Amino acid sequence: MKLNREEVLHIAKLARVGVTDDDVEHLREQLSDILENFEILKKVDTADVPPTAQSIPLQNVTKDDQAADSLLPGQILANAPRKEGEYFRVKAVLE
Amino acid sequence: MTPQQLTIHEAHRLLKDKKLSSVELTGACLKRTGEVEPKLQALVTVTGEAALKQAENADRLIAKGDINPLTGVPVVIKDVLCTKGVRTTCSSKMLENFIPPYNATVVEKLNSLGAVSIGKANMDEFAMGSSTEHSAFFATHNPWDLDRVPGGSSGGSAVSVAADEGIYALGSDTGGSIRQPAGFCSVVGLKPTYGRVSRYGLVAFASSLDQIGPLTKDVTDCAIVLNAIAGFDNRDSTSAPNPVPDYTRCLAADLKGLKLGVPQEYFVQGMQREVEKALLDAIRKLEELGAKVDLGVSLPSTPYALAAYYIIAPSEASANLARYDGVKYGFSYPDADSMWEALEKTRQFGFGDEVKRRIMLGTYALSAGYYDAYYLKAQKVRTLIRREFDSAFEKYDALITPTSPTVPFKLGEKLDDPLQMYLSDVCTLPINIAGVPGISIPAGFGNGLPVGMQIIGKPFGEEAILKVAYAYEQATEWHKRKPQI
């Protein structure tokens, strides 16, 4: 599977990772190499095999609805790059 | 023997008999750390002052007779585990200044036992890598040869134990990140069964594969630390309710009646001769100890594990790392004109190359039109790999493989060749795919460089692999060798 430039830019956009022109070419080569290596999976017959998402036989784990201490707004906001009062400050979503 | 060279169980005896104080032991570890860190660079943060306070507190507990095997014993914690009030960076620029407001469950557990934390260990950024060269801050050096990598991603943890900076360390393992550096540094490293140890407070990489585990100087210490960190936690709904046995009670010096299998597929093309030779010698030793060894085991889907892993793990990572948006915490690009630009630039400059590569790979594998061909296919191959382990464990008590196909490689050798780097985990990652436990123990040296043996068990079969590991260790001297730094 060889990726082209447009595909790399499309993936970068989906992943919301900014890239330079040099990055695109480098990533195109490396990702293509890795994806070609993955072609080996086509050799495996998985016609009647169900997928495995996780390896333990637990399902629908629930817990009692009990009140407990939680973090205070000040503790949460201590790591915020930008804040105003008790809010995270972000760029306008709609201009 | 100097105090920092002690194992947990040796230090515990001296602490209990009041022949050594935790302050003395902690001071010795900190002094050693100061001496070797300029060469090794295993630690991102050293918490010397806090450690000495914890040690004083531990000495007060011990004076009252309130002592357990980890009280007052210094530990190094991989910088992927949240430590309240102590910065937790994941060796990433993204989290360079992140100070968690809470502790990981494993850290809480150690604190409640009076442990002493001397610092946070360097790692590959967000635990993605096999050499610790993908740290955004600096590479860590192998104490057996400073020009070589210590393995990864828990390279700092493994080095800190091998070099006697800490008495033991905690790491995390998604595809080999505890076992491969343990093998490269000649220490003991255990990845427990998925669900055995709570992941609460472990910064997520690939949630269906990640497990926390100990890196220690010997197998007895490994069992002691597992006793302390294993068990159900209602803050991690994937942690298992299975009872936790006393893992030190299974340690026995002979292996009579035990059936061991050696899967041929793990003796892969490209395996170094000295690794193969060390392993065959080790297997002979296991036979001498009474085990019945079958060299003809086959796990035919093994050659597909690498591709399946490098689809599943990056896919999960691409979702988990979507949270780094520069809003709530972490690096935030300051000069953007719009929300989208801020997001893209934050991730462009906050993440290193390997992390971006994996996010992109996972995004691609999950994207419309490719999901079935990559992600779903990999999940089906995961089923086959798991089934093969299940049927092998109907016949064998444990499986024996090398931990890595090579001895530690040179710094820089594989840094810009991701596929070659990924191959370093070829023997360890099938174990995460299956969710079973695996341990790496010192099994000799090739040209003066460490070789690790991996022992794999069935789900929640930690006792069997610890038993095999202990018997081998008692019959050999490898774990007693120390690197000259």
Side-chain angles (χ1 to χ4, degrees):
Chain A
M1 183 74 208
K2 280 261 181 248
L3 294 176
N4 61 37
R5 231 187 115 69
E6 285 64 42
E7 286 169 314
V8 175
L9 286 168
H10 177 62
I11 302 167
K13 179 153 190 237
L14 289 175
R16 298 290 172 195
V17 174
V19 285
T20 64
D21 280 351
D22 285 352
D23 290 341
V24 173
E25 185 48 29
H26 201 50
L27 281 163
R28 195 187 66 71
E29 284 173 22
Q30 289 186 328
L31 295 177
S32 296
D33 264 6
I34 295 166
L35 290 170
E36 259 172 42
N37 195 267
F38 292 170
E39 298 286 306
I40 188 178
L41 292 185
K42 288 190 178 151
K43 290 197 222 161
V44 192
D45 180 4
T46 53
D48 299 314
V49 182
T52 295
Q54 54 97 356
S55 59
I56 42 170
L58 292 173
Q59 277 181 344
N60 298 333
V61 177
T62 59
K63 54 184 169 185
D64 295 337
D65 186 11
Q66 282 176 330
D69 289 340
S70 60
L71 297 170
L72 301 168
Q75 291 175 290
I76 300 289
L77 286 160
N79 282 297
R82 280 175 291 280
K83 61 195 158 191
E84 205 170 299
E86 288 200 344
Y87 298 95
F88 295 105
R89 190 179 172 91
V90 296
K91 294 270 175 199
V93 178
L94 299 169
E95 307 257 10
Chain B
M1 192 185 276
T2 52
Q4 72 272 11
Q5 290 181 312
L6 297 166
T7 62
I8 296 170
H9 55 96
E10 289 164 349
H12 172 65
R13 199 169 309 128
L14 295 175
L15 289 165
K16 198 175 175 187
D17 295 345
K18 316 265 168 37
K19 289 180 180 154
L20 177 72
S21 73
S22 175
V23 169
E24 286 165 347
L25 178 60
T26 304
C29 286
L30 289 169
K31 182 167 174 283
R32 172 72 173 171
T33 299
E35 286 162 7
V36 295
E37 264 307 286
K39 288 181 183 167
L40 300 175
Q41 300 195 285
L43 303 178
V44 173
T45 304
V46 179
T47 50
E49 232 170 273
L52 287 167
K53 276 210 185 96
Q54 284 179 315
E56 284 169 18
N57 188 47
D59 283 332
R60 276 194 290 275
L61 291 173
I62 294 166
K64 283 191 291 182
D66 187 0
I67 182 167
N68 71 73
L70 295 179
T71 309
V73 181
V75 58
V76 167
I77 293 169
K78 186 178 182 181
D79 214 14
V80 72
L81 290 164
C82 284
T83 42
K84 188 177 177 177
V86 176
R87 76 179 182 139
T88 298
T89 69
C90 285
S91 290
S92 178
K93 192 178 170 194
M94 191 63 92
L95 292 178
E96 192 167 1
N97 299 307
F98 174 63
I99 298 176
Y102 63 90
N103 278 322
T105 293
V106 290
V107 173
E108 285 283 288
K109 285 189 172 207
L110 294 188
N111 284 349
S112 74
L113 297 173
V116 174
S117 168
I118 66 163
K120 304 292 296 282
N122 196 25
M123 54 189 275
D124 287 295
E125 183 178 2
F126 285 104
M128 298 177 191
S130 313
S131 70
T132 315
E133 291 168 291
H134 290 303
S135 165
F137 308 135
F138 41 77
T140 297
H141 298 254
N142 192 311
W144 296 92
D145 179 347
L146 296 175
D147 294 331
R148 290 176 189 268
V149 303
S153 66
S154 309
S157 297
V159 169
S160 69
V161 175
D164 299 318
E165 295 177 279
I167 304 297
Y168 68 106
L170 292 184
S172 66
D173 188 317
T174 306
S177 280
I178 289 172
R179 290 158 289 153
Q180 186 255 21
F184 274 13
C185 294
S186 202
V187 298
V188 175
L190 171 73
K191 183 205 86 75
T193 307
Y194 183 82
R196 180 71 295 185
V197 177
S198 167
R199 293 181 295 112
Y200 179 79
L202 166 70
V203 179
F205 161 13
S207 302
S208 83
L209 304 165
D210 297 341
Q211 260 301 281
I212 298 164
L215 292 107
T216 58
K217 294 175 185 176
D218 68 14
V219 176
T220 305
D221 281 6
C222 182
I224 290 169
V225 180
L226 186 61
N227 278 349
I229 62 175
F232 174 74
D233 175 14
N234 70 5
R235 293 180 295 186
D236 173 6
S237 54
T238 63
S239 69
N242 306 37
V244 180
D246 178 352
Y247 289 104
T248 60
R249 299 192 69 170
C250 60
L251 308 178
D254 93 78
L255 298 176
K256 275 196 193 72
L258 231 59
K259 277 185 265 177
L260 306 177
V262 181
Q264 298 161 3
E265 289 83 1
Y266 284 74
F267 289 76
V268 292
Q269 218 184 339
M271 166 175 282
Q272 285 173 346
R273 287 255 287 290
E274 55 265 44
V275 174
E276 189 173 358
K277 186 185 173 298
L279 249 289
L280 293 176
D281 288 347
I283 289 164
R284 220 164 296 135
K285 182 62 88 180
L286 293 170
E287 282 178 322
E288 282 170 29
L289 290 164
K292 195 160 179 291
V293 181
D294 182 351
L295 291 168
V297 180
S298 177
L299 303 173
S301 296
T302 304
Y304 307 110
L306 186 91
Y309 176 87
Y310 277 99
I311 291 169
I312 293 168
S315 294
E316 293 186 19
S318 73
N320 270 328
L321 273 65
R323 73 190 66 181
Y324 300 102
D325 55 8
V327 172
K328 301 179 293 298
Y329 46 79
F331 173 75
S332 185
Y333 186 77
D335 301 321
D337 290 329
S338 70
M339 183 196 72
W340 291 121
E341 192 197 352
L343 184 50
E344 290 183 356
K345 291 268 169 65
T346 291
R347 293 162 66 78
Q348 177 178 358
F349 298 113
F351 291 136
D353 287 346
E354 179 61 19
V355 173
K356 285 190 273 193
R357 206 149 42 219
R358 295 208 197 181
I359 289 173
M360 302 253 310
L361 201 56
T363 302
Y364 181 73
L366 293 174
S367 67
Y370 299 102
Y371 180 92
D372 284 6
Y374 290 104
Y375 187 64
L376 191 62
K377 181 78 182 184
Q379 285 192 309
K380 289 177 177 177
V381 173
R382 183 173 190 177
T383 304
L384 294 176
I385 291 167
R386 186 169 167 77
R387 282 180 184 167
E388 288 171 12
F389 275 110
D390 284 348
S391 51
F393 288 122
E394 283 171 14
K395 284 170 79 177
Y396 307 103
D397 297 296
L399 301 174
I400 308 294
T401 75
T403 303
S404 185
T406 69
V407 295
F409 45 90
K410 286 257 167 75
L411 283 151
E413 193 180 317
K414 301 182 182 187
L415 195 51
D416 205 35
D417 189 346
L419 264 176
Q420 280 305 311
M421 189 73 94
Y422 298 170
L423 277 168
S424 187
D425 294 332
V426 71
C427 299
T428 46
L429 53 84
I431 284 70
N432 300 71
I433 290 177
V436 297
I439 190 171
S440 177
I441 58 169
F445 290 81
N447 298 327
L449 296 166
V451 174
M453 169 162 65
Q454 178 173 241
I455 307 163
I456 307 161
K458 63 185 175 193
F460 300 98
E462 278 83 357
E463 287 168 291
I465 60 176
L466 285 165
K467 182 178 177 176
V468 176
Y470 180 78
Y472 177 80
E473 177 186 271
Q474 294 306 299
T476 54
E477 299 280 319
W478 308 121
H479 64 292
K480 291 182 180 161
R481 279 205 205 173
K482 293 277 180 189
Q484 297 298 317
I485 302 161

mmCIF file with all atom_site columns, all heavy atoms in Angstrom, chain A residues 29-46:
data_model
loop_
_atom_site.group_PDB
_atom_site.id
_atom_site.type_symbol
_atom_site.label_atom_id
_atom_site.label_alt_id
_atom_site.label_comp_id
_atom_site.label_asym_id
_atom_site.label_entity_id
_atom_site.label_seq_id
_atom_site.pdbx_PDB_ins_code
_atom_site.Cartn_x
_atom_site.Cartn_y
_atom_site.Cartn_z
_atom_site.occupancy
_atom_site.B_iso_or_equiv
_atom_site.pdbx_formal_charge
_atom_site.auth_seq_id
_atom_site.auth_comp_id
_atom_site.auth_asym_id
_atom_site.auth_atom_id
_atom_site.pdbx_PDB_model_num
ATOM 1   N N   . GLU A 1 29 ? 6.731   8.217   2.957  1.00 0.00 ? 29 GLU A N   1
ATOM 2   C CA  . GLU A 1 29 ? 7.636   7.077   2.776  1.00 0.00 ? 29 GLU A CA  1
ATOM 3   C C   . GLU A 1 29 ? 7.532   6.085   3.935  1.00 0.00 ? 29 GLU A C   1
ATOM 4   O O   . GLU A 1 29 ? 7.398   4.880   3.728  1.00 0.00 ? 29 GLU A O   1
ATOM 5   C CB  . GLU A 1 29 ? 9.091   7.568   2.672  1.00 0.00 ? 29 GLU A CB  1
ATOM 6   C CG  . GLU A 1 29 ? 9.422   8.176   1.337  1.00 0.00 ? 29 GLU A CG  1
ATOM 7   C CD  . GLU A 1 29 ? 10.817  8.812   1.338  1.00 0.00 ? 29 GLU A CD  1
ATOM 8   O OE1 . GLU A 1 29 ? 11.649  8.417   2.192  1.00 0.00 ? 29 GLU A OE1 1
ATOM 9   O OE2 . GLU A 1 29 ? 11.043  9.698   0.503  1.00 0.00 ? 29 GLU A OE2 1
ATOM 10  N N   . GLN A 1 30 ? 7.601   6.618   5.152  1.00 0.00 ? 30 GLN A N   1
ATOM 11  C CA  . GLN A 1 30 ? 7.622   5.717   6.314  1.00 0.00 ? 30 GLN A CA  1
ATOM 12  C C   . GLN A 1 30 ? 6.292   4.989   6.492  1.00 0.00 ? 30 GLN A C   1
ATOM 13  O O   . GLN A 1 30 ? 6.267   3.783   6.734  1.00 0.00 ? 30 GLN A O   1
ATOM 14  C CB  . GLN A 1 30 ? 7.977   6.494   7.571  1.00 0.00 ? 30 GLN A CB  1
ATOM 15  C CG  . GLN A 1 30 ? 9.443   6.928   7.575  1.00 0.00 ? 30 GLN A CG  1
ATOM 16  C CD  . GLN A 1 30 ? 9.850   7.582   8.869  1.00 0.00 ? 30 GLN A CD  1
ATOM 17  O OE1 . GLN A 1 30 ? 9.045   8.250   9.518  1.00 0.00 ? 30 GLN A OE1 1
ATOM 18  N NE2 . GLN A 1 30 ? 11.101  7.396   9.248  1.00 0.00 ? 30 GLN A NE2 1
ATOM 19  N N   . LEU A 1 31 ? 5.188   5.695   6.376  1.00 0.00 ? 31 LEU A N   1
ATOM 20  C CA  . LEU A 1 31 ? 3.892   5.046   6.548  1.00 0.00 ? 31 LEU A CA  1
ATOM 21  C C   . LEU A 1 31 ? 3.660   4.023   5.435  1.00 0.00 ? 31 LEU A C   1
ATOM 22  O O   . LEU A 1 31 ? 3.107   2.938   5.672  1.00 0.00 ? 31 LEU A O   1
ATOM 23  C CB  . LEU A 1 31 ? 2.762   6.075   6.585  1.00 0.00 ? 31 LEU A CB  1
ATOM 24  C CG  . LEU A 1 31 ? 2.766   7.041   7.780  1.00 0.00 ? 31 LEU A CG  1
ATOM 25  C CD1 . LEU A 1 31 ? 1.640   8.057   7.663  1.00 0.00 ? 31 LEU A CD1 1
ATOM 26  C CD2 . LEU A 1 31 ? 2.648   6.290   9.107  1.00 0.00 ? 31 LEU A CD2 1
ATOM 27  N N   . SER A 1 32 ? 4.099   4.345   4.215  1.00 0.00 ? 32 SER A N   1
ATOM 28  C CA  . SER A 1 32 ? 3.948   3.391   3.107  1.00 0.00 ? 32 SER A CA  1
ATOM 29  C C   . SER A 1 32 ? 4.721   2.108   3.396  1.00 0.00 ? 32 SER A C   1
ATOM 30  O O   . SER A 1 32 ? 4.214   0.999   3.178  1.00 0.00 ? 32 SER A O   1
ATOM 31  C CB  . SER A 1 32 ? 4.449   3.998   1.793  1.00 0.00 ? 32 SER A CB  1
ATOM 32  O OG  . SER A 1 32 ? 3.655   5.100   1.432  1.00 0.00 ? 32 SER A OG  1
ATOM 33  N N   . ASP A 1 33 ? 5.936   2.260   3.871  1.00 0.00 ? 33 ASP A N   1
ATOM 34  C CA  . ASP A 1 33 ? 6.769   1.101   4.233  1.00 0.00 ? 33 ASP A CA  1
ATOM 35  C C   . ASP A 1 33 ? 6.072   0.216   5.259  1.00 0.00 ? 33 ASP A C   1
ATOM 36  O O   . ASP A 1 33 ? 6.033   -1.008  5.130  1.00 0.00 ? 33 ASP A O   1
ATOM 37  C CB  . ASP A 1 33 ? 8.066   1.588   4.900  1.00 0.00 ? 33 ASP A CB  1
ATOM 38  C CG  . ASP A 1 33 ? 9.196   1.672   3.913  1.00 0.00 ? 33 ASP A CG  1
ATOM 39  O OD1 . ASP A 1 33 ? 8.928   1.468   2.715  1.00 0.00 ? 33 ASP A OD1 1
ATOM 40  O OD2 . ASP A 1 33 ? 10.335  1.939   4.345  1.00 0.00 ? 33 ASP A OD2 1
ATOM 41  N N   . ILE A 1 34 ? 5.551   0.861   6.290  1.00 0.00 ? 34 ILE A N   1
ATOM 42  C CA  . ILE A 1 34 ? 4.916   0.117   7.372  1.00 0.00 ? 34 ILE A CA  1
ATOM 43  C C   . ILE A 1 34 ? 3.650   -0.572  6.853  1.00 0.00 ? 34 ILE A C   1
ATOM 44  O O   . ILE A 1 34 ? 3.409   -1.755  7.109  1.00 0.00 ? 34 ILE A O   1
ATOM 45  C CB  . ILE A 1 34 ? 4.586   1.061   8.563  1.00 0.00 ? 34 ILE A CB  1
ATOM 46  C CG1 . ILE A 1 34 ? 5.886   1.609   9.171  1.00 0.00 ? 34 ILE A CG1 1
ATOM 47  C CG2 . ILE A 1 34 ? 3.769   0.334   9.626  1.00 0.00 ? 34 ILE A CG2 1
ATOM 48  C CD1 . ILE A 1 34 ? 5.682   2.784   10.123 1.00 0.00 ? 34 ILE A CD1 1
ATOM 49  N N   . LEU A 1 35 ? 2.851   0.150   6.071  1.00 0.00 ? 35 LEU A N   1
ATOM 50  C CA  . LEU A 1 35 ? 1.607   -0.428  5.553  1.00 0.00 ? 35 LEU A CA  1
ATOM 51  C C   . LEU A 1 35 ? 1.887   -1.596  4.610  1.00 0.00 ? 35 LEU A C   1
ATOM 52  O O   . LEU A 1 35 ? 1.160   -2.579  4.589  1.00 0.00 ? 35 LEU A O   1
ATOM 53  C CB  . LEU A 1 35 ? 0.778   0.647   4.845  1.00 0.00 ? 35 LEU A CB  1
ATOM 54  C CG  . LEU A 1 35 ? 0.160   1.697   5.782  1.00 0.00 ? 35 LEU A CG  1
ATOM 55  C CD1 . LEU A 1 35 ? -0.422  2.855   4.980  1.00 0.00 ? 35 LEU A CD1 1
ATOM 56  C CD2 . LEU A 1 35 ? -0.917  1.082   6.670  1.00 0.00 ? 35 LEU A CD2 1
ATOM 57  N N   . GLU A 1 36 ? 2.964   -1.493  3.853  1.00 0.00 ? 36 GLU A N   1
ATOM 58  C CA  . GLU A 1 36 ? 3.327   -2.608  2.974  1.00 0.00 ? 36 GLU A CA  1
ATOM 59  C C   . GLU A 1 36 ? 3.638   -3.849  3.782  1.00 0.00 ? 36 GLU A C   1
ATOM 60  O O   . GLU A 1 36 ? 3.283   -4.965  3.424  1.00 0.00 ? 36 GLU A O   1
ATOM 61  C CB  . GLU A 1 36 ? 4.537   -2.236  2.115  1.00 0.00 ? 36 GLU A CB  1
ATOM 62  C CG  . GLU A 1 36 ? 4.140   -1.847  0.717  1.00 0.00 ? 36 GLU A CG  1
ATOM 63  C CD  . GLU A 1 36 ? 5.297   -1.286  -0.075 1.00 0.00 ? 36 GLU A CD  1
ATOM 64  O OE1 . GLU A 1 36 ? 6.419   -1.829  0.016  1.00 0.00 ? 36 GLU A OE1 1
ATOM 65  O OE2 . GLU A 1 36 ? 5.074   -0.274  -0.770 1.00 0.00 ? 36 GLU A OE2 1
ATOM 66  N N   . ASN A 1 37 ? 4.306   -3.631  4.908  1.00 0.00 ? 37 ASN A N   1
ATOM 67  C CA  . ASN A 1 37 ? 4.613   -4.733  5.808  1.00 0.00 ? 37 ASN A CA  1
ATOM 68  C C   . ASN A 1 37 ? 3.333   -5.389  6.337  1.00 0.00 ? 37 ASN A C   1
ATOM 69  O O   . ASN A 1 37 ? 3.296   -6.586  6.591  1.00 0.00 ? 37 ASN A O   1
ATOM 70  C CB  . ASN A 1 37 ? 5.473   -4.193  6.943  1.00 0.00 ? 37 ASN A CB  1
ATOM 71  C CG  . ASN A 1 37 ? 6.142   -5.281  7.726  1.00 0.00 ? 37 ASN A CG  1
ATOM 72  O OD1 . ASN A 1 37 ? 5.610   -5.720  8.730  1.00 0.00 ? 37 ASN A OD1 1
ATOM 73  N ND2 . ASN A 1 37 ? 7.283   -5.754  7.245  1.00 0.00 ? 37 ASN A ND2 1
ATOM 74  N N   . PHE A 1 38 ? 2.289   -4.597  6.513  1.00 0.00 ? 38 PHE A N   1
ATOM 75  C CA  . PHE A 1 38 ? 1.019   -5.126  7.027  1.00 0.00 ? 38 PHE A CA  1
ATOM 76  C C   . PHE A 1 38 ? 0.295   -6.018  6.007  1.00 0.00 ? 38 PHE A C   1
ATOM 77  O O   . PHE A 1 38 ? -0.630  -6.744  6.358  1.00 0.00 ? 38 PHE A O   1
ATOM 78  C CB  . PHE A 1 38 ? 0.068   -3.986  7.413  1.00 0.00 ? 38 PHE A CB  1
ATOM 79  C CG  . PHE A 1 38 ? 0.511   -3.187  8.604  1.00 0.00 ? 38 PHE A CG  1
ATOM 80  C CD1 . PHE A 1 38 ? -0.148  -2.008  8.941  1.00 0.00 ? 38 PHE A CD1 1
ATOM 81  C CD2 . PHE A 1 38 ? 1.571   -3.598  9.402  1.00 0.00 ? 38 PHE A CD2 1
ATOM 82  C CE1 . PHE A 1 38 ? 0.248   -1.253  10.036 1.00 0.00 ? 38 PHE A CE1 1
ATOM 83  C CE2 . PHE A 1 38 ? 1.977   -2.845  10.502 1.00 0.00 ? 38 PHE A CE2 1
ATOM 84  C CZ  . PHE A 1 38 ? 1.303   -1.671  10.818 1.00 0.00 ? 38 PHE A CZ  1
ATOM 85  N N   . GLU A 1 39 ? 0.711   -5.949  4.748  1.00 0.00 ? 39 GLU A N   1
ATOM 86  C CA  . GLU A 1 39 ? 0.067   -6.770  3.710  1.00 0.00 ? 39 GLU A CA  1
ATOM 87  C C   . GLU A 1 39 ? 0.106   -8.249  4.064  1.00 0.00 ? 39 GLU A C   1
ATOM 88  O O   . GLU A 1 39 ? -0.714  -9.036  3.616  1.00 0.00 ? 39 GLU A O   1
ATOM 89  C CB  . GLU A 1 39 ? 0.762   -6.564  2.347  1.00 0.00 ? 39 GLU A CB  1
ATOM 90  C CG  . GLU A 1 39 ? 0.702   -5.146  1.820  1.00 0.00 ? 39 GLU A CG  1
ATOM 91  C CD  . GLU A 1 39 ? -0.674  -4.762  1.306  1.00 0.00 ? 39 GLU A CD  1
ATOM 92  O OE1 . GLU A 1 39 ? -1.193  -5.489  0.453  1.00 0.00 ? 39 GLU A OE1 1
ATOM 93  O OE2 . GLU A 1 39 ? -1.219  -3.749  1.805  1.00 0.00 ? 39 GLU A OE2 1
ATOM 94  N N   . ILE A 1 40 ? 1.073   -8.615  4.895  1.00 0.00 ? 40 ILE A N   1
ATOM 95  C CA  . ILE A 1 40 ? 1.231   -10.016 5.305  1.00 0.00 ? 40 ILE A CA  1
ATOM 96  C C   . ILE A 1 40 ? -0.077  -10.551 5.914  1.00 0.00 ? 40 ILE A C   1
ATOM 97  O O   . ILE A 1 40 ? -0.376  -11.745 5.816  1.00 0.00 ? 40 ILE A O   1
ATOM 98  C CB  . ILE A 1 40 ? 2.409   -10.141 6.313  1.00 0.00 ? 40 ILE A CB  1
ATOM 99  C CG1 . ILE A 1 40 ? 2.727   -11.606 6.600  1.00 0.00 ? 40 ILE A CG1 1
ATOM 100 C CG2 . ILE A 1 40 ? 2.131   -9.412  7.601  1.00 0.00 ? 40 ILE A CG2 1
ATOM 101 C CD1 . ILE A 1 40 ? 3.899   -11.805 7.552  1.00 0.00 ? 40 ILE A CD1 1
ATOM 102 N N   . LEU A 1 41 ? -0.875  -9.685  6.508  1.00 0.00 ? 41 LEU A N   1
ATOM 103 C CA  . LEU A 1 41 ? -2.116  -10.137 7.149  1.00 0.00 ? 41 LEU A CA  1
ATOM 104 C C   . LEU A 1 41 ? -3.109  -10.698 6.132  1.00 0.00 ? 41 LEU A C   1
ATOM 105 O O   . LEU A 1 41 ? -3.990  -11.483 6.490  1.00 0.00 ? 41 LEU A O   1
ATOM 106 C CB  . LEU A 1 41 ? -2.763  -8.988  7.935  1.00 0.00 ? 41 LEU A CB  1
ATOM 107 C CG  . LEU A 1 41 ? -2.012  -8.498  9.170  1.00 0.00 ? 41 LEU A CG  1
ATOM 108 C CD1 . LEU A 1 41 ? -2.836  -7.450  9.898  1.00 0.00 ? 41 LEU A CD1 1
ATOM 109 C CD2 . LEU A 1 41 ? -1.691  -9.643  10.123 1.00 0.00 ? 41 LEU A CD2 1
ATOM 110 N N   . LYS A 1 42 ? -2.965  -10.309 4.867  1.00 0.00 ? 42 LYS A N   1
ATOM 111 C CA  . LYS A 1 42 ? -3.875  -10.835 3.846  1.00 0.00 ? 42 LYS A CA  1
ATOM 112 C C   . LYS A 1 42 ? -3.737  -12.343 3.692  1.00 0.00 ? 42 LYS A C   1
ATOM 113 O O   . LYS A 1 42 ? -4.638  -13.013 3.193  1.00 0.00 ? 42 LYS A O   1
ATOM 114 C CB  . LYS A 1 42 ? -3.592  -10.160 2.500  1.00 0.00 ? 42 LYS A CB  1
ATOM 115 C CG  . LYS A 1 42 ? -4.062  -8.719  2.468  1.00 0.00 ? 42 LYS A CG  1
ATOM 116 C CD  . LYS A 1 42 ? -3.995  -8.162  1.066  1.00 0.00 ? 42 LYS A CD  1
ATOM 117 C CE  . LYS A 1 42 ? -4.519  -6.725  1.055  1.00 0.00 ? 42 LYS A CE  1
ATOM 118 N NZ  . LYS A 1 42 ? -3.881  -5.930  0.002  1.00 0.00 ? 42 LYS A NZ  1
ATOM 119 N N   . LYS A 1 43 ? -2.574  -12.874 4.099  1.00 0.00 ? 43 LYS A N   1
ATOM 120 C CA  . LYS A 1 43 ? -2.341  -14.319 3.964  1.00 0.00 ? 43 LYS A CA  1
ATOM 121 C C   . LYS A 1 43 ? -3.119  -15.132 4.999  1.00 0.00 ? 43 LYS A C   1
ATOM 122 O O   . LYS A 1 43 ? -3.220  -16.342 4.882  1.00 0.00 ? 43 LYS A O   1
ATOM 123 C CB  . LYS A 1 43 ? -0.846  -14.621 4.165  1.00 0.00 ? 43 LYS A CB  1
ATOM 124 C CG  . LYS A 1 43 ? 0.038   -14.150 3.053  1.00 0.00 ? 43 LYS A CG  1
ATOM 125 C CD  . LYS A 1 43 ? 1.382   -14.877 3.168  1.00 0.00 ? 43 LYS A CD  1
ATOM 126 C CE  . LYS A 1 43 ? 2.534   -13.936 2.915  1.00 0.00 ? 43 LYS A CE  1
ATOM 127 N NZ  . LYS A 1 43 ? 3.806   -14.445 3.438  1.00 0.00 ? 43 LYS A NZ  1
ATOM 128 N N   . VAL A 1 44 ? -3.614  -14.472 6.052  1.00 0.00 ? 44 VAL A N   1
ATOM 129 C CA  . VAL A 1 44 ? -4.273  -15.208 7.128  1.00 0.00 ? 44 VAL A CA  1
ATOM 130 C C   . VAL A 1 44 ? -5.748  -15.393 6.791  1.00 0.00 ? 44 VAL A C   1
ATOM 131 O O   . VAL A 1 44 ? -6.441  -14.425 6.472  1.00 0.00 ? 44 VAL A O   1
ATOM 132 C CB  . VAL A 1 44 ? -4.173  -14.455 8.473  1.00 0.00 ? 44 VAL A CB  1
ATOM 133 C CG1 . VAL A 1 44 ? -4.600  -15.357 9.622  1.00 0.00 ? 44 VAL A CG1 1
ATOM 134 C CG2 . VAL A 1 44 ? -2.770  -13.932 8.685  1.00 0.00 ? 44 VAL A CG2 1
ATOM 135 N N   . ASP A 1 45 ? -6.214  -16.639 6.866  1.00 0.00 ? 45 ASP A N   1
ATOM 136 C CA  . ASP A 1 45 ? -7.625  -16.914 6.633  1.00 0.00 ? 45 ASP A CA  1
ATOM 137 C C   . ASP A 1 45 ? -8.408  -16.610 7.911  1.00 0.00 ? 45 ASP A C   1
ATOM 138 O O   . ASP A 1 45 ? -8.269  -17.298 8.917  1.00 0.00 ? 45 ASP A O   1
ATOM 139 C CB  . ASP A 1 45 ? -7.802  -18.386 6.230  1.00 0.00 ? 45 ASP A CB  1
ATOM 140 C CG  . ASP A 1 45 ? -9.268  -18.718 5.976  1.00 0.00 ? 45 ASP A CG  1
ATOM 141 O OD1 . ASP A 1 45 ? -10.117 -17.805 6.030  1.00 0.00 ? 45 ASP A OD1 1
ATOM 142 O OD2 . ASP A 1 45 ? -9.561  -19.898 5.727  1.00 0.00 ? 45 ASP A OD2 1
ATOM 143 N N   . THR A 1 46 ? -9.220  -15.573 7.871  1.00 0.00 ? 46 THR A N   1
ATOM 144 C CA  . THR A 1 46 ? -9.995  -15.196 9.058  1.00 0.00 ? 46 THR A CA  1
ATOM 145 C C   . THR A 1 46 ? -11.499 -15.229 8.764  1.00 0.00 ? 46 THR A C   1
ATOM 146 O O   . THR A 1 46 ? -12.287 -14.567 9.425  1.00 0.00 ? 46 THR A O   1
ATOM 147 C CB  . THR A 1 46 ? -9.598  -13.780 9.545  1.00 0.00 ? 46 THR A CB  1
ATOM 148 O OG1 . THR A 1 46 ? -9.702  -12.879 8.441  1.00 0.00 ? 46 THR A OG1 1
ATOM 149 C CG2 . THR A 1 46 ? -8.193  -13.749 10.103 1.00 0.00 ? 46 THR A CG2 1
#
